[in-house]
Amino acid sequence: MLYLRVQTTNARFKMKKFVTLLIFSVILLACGPKQQKQAPADPIKKDSVKIAPSNEYGMWKLAYYASNLGDSRDKAYITNSYAIWGTFSNKANDKAELKAKFMVDKETFCIKLLEYGTKAVKKGNENLYKIKVKTSSNEGFDFTAKNVSDRLFIKGSDSQRIIELFNKGGLISFYMVTDSKTDPATYSFTIDNPDGFEKALLKISK
């Protein structure tokens, strides 16, 4: 009888030990670190380097005259692709800001002068503009031009000499003086490395 009690007690002890181990294991599994499923890694995006296309005409570009309706005509002209800044002086200003814009097509060679960068110089009581063009190597010439609207019209022989200087590149300075008796003024600006002009001229001449 004593032996049966001891055997029963041992069985209960083993069962209790087994249950305790089972509960402890369950607790460990429940409290253990939860591993999240790793999402597939996104492909690494590499920065794409954008290379600006080179301008085949250098500092020049092709534009088109606009009609009164705002539509572009087929007639193209050459103009500077960025602002050319200089200065002007008159009775009211001393070396104020000036912007110059070239407008050249198959028939005409014009320079538009914009005082303060926005106000176009229009025909006044002057007869001529005396213009001096000079390169950094002291090559250049003097000539005259007229403003019959809102730009200076340069005659063919003089414009051809300007184009020849453009083709040589380097720095080219323009200095202009009006012969007005009531509102005399001077204008000056410099352009740097104007090569590519002849190529643009060939394009619009086709």
Side-chain angles (χ1 to χ4, degrees):
M1 191 71 176
L2 181 60
Y3 173 77
L4 183 59
R5 287 181 180 178
V6 171
Q7 192 174 22
T8 303
T9 301
N10 288 339
R12 288 178 179 175
F13 177 77
K14 289 181 179 180
M15 181 61 69
K16 186 177 180 180
K17 186 176 181 181
F18 174 77
V19 171
T20 302
L21 288 173
L22 183 61
I23 293 172
F24 183 72
S25 299
V26 171
I27 294 173
L28 283 178
L29 290 174
C31 297
K34 296 182 179 180
Q35 295 182 353
Q36 297 180 349
K37 294 183 179 180
Q38 294 183 352
D42 294 332
I44 299 175
K45 296 181 179 179
K46 297 181 179 180
D47 294 335
S48 57
V49 179
K50 294 182 179 180
I51 301 175
S54 59
N55 184 3
E56 59 180 325
Y57 306 126
M59 64 168 283
W60 309 102
K61 67 177 182 180
L62 303 185
Y64 293 87
Y65 291 114
S67 67
N68 294 331
L69 298 177
D71 300 323
S72 295
R73 295 177 179 172
D74 292 335
K75 188 175 181 180
Y77 66 94
I78 304 169
T79 187
N80 36 296
S81 59
Y82 56 83
I84 299 174
W85 296 101
T87 60
F88 77 95
S89 299
N90 54 24
K91 290 181 178 180
N93 300 280
D94 182 24
K95 293 185 178 180
E97 192 173 64
L98 171 75
K99 185 163 70 172
K101 181 178 181 180
F102 285 81
M103 302 180 71
V104 182
D105 57 38
K106 291 187 291 185
E107 290 83 26
T108 59
F109 191 112
C110 301
I111 301 176
K112 194 169 187 176
L113 303 173
L114 301 166
E115 295 177 347
Y116 312 108
T118 57
K119 182 183 176 183
V121 177
K122 297 182 179 181
K123 173 178 170 55
N125 65 348
E126 74 281 347
N127 291 317
L128 293 172
Y129 282 72
K130 296 179 180 179
I131 303 175
K132 179 186 292 290
V133 180
K134 187 177 180 181
T135 67
S136 54
S137 59
N138 290 325
E139 183 181 0
F141 66 103
D142 299 345
F143 60 100
T144 60
K146 288 186 177 182
N147 186 345
V148 297
S149 57
D150 63 351
R151 65 202 64 176
L152 302 182
F153 284 79
I154 300 171
K155 59 185 179 181
S157 57
D158 294 326
S159 63
Q160 186 57 44
R161 295 181 70 181
I162 294 174
I163 294 172
E164 291 173 359
L165 294 179
F166 282 176
N167 293 335
K168 294 180 180 180
L171 290 172
I172 300 180
S173 300
F174 287 77
Y175 182 76
M176 310 173 183
V177 183
T178 69
D179 64 356
S180 172
K181 299 296 188 293
T182 59
D183 190 21
T186 61
Y187 303 89
S188 63
F189 60 88
T190 299
I191 56 178
D192 185 13
N193 200 24
D195 57 337
F197 188 90
E198 188 173 29
K199 190 174 183 180
L201 191 61
L202 289 173
K203 180 69 175 180
I204 66 172
S205 299
K206 291 180 179 180

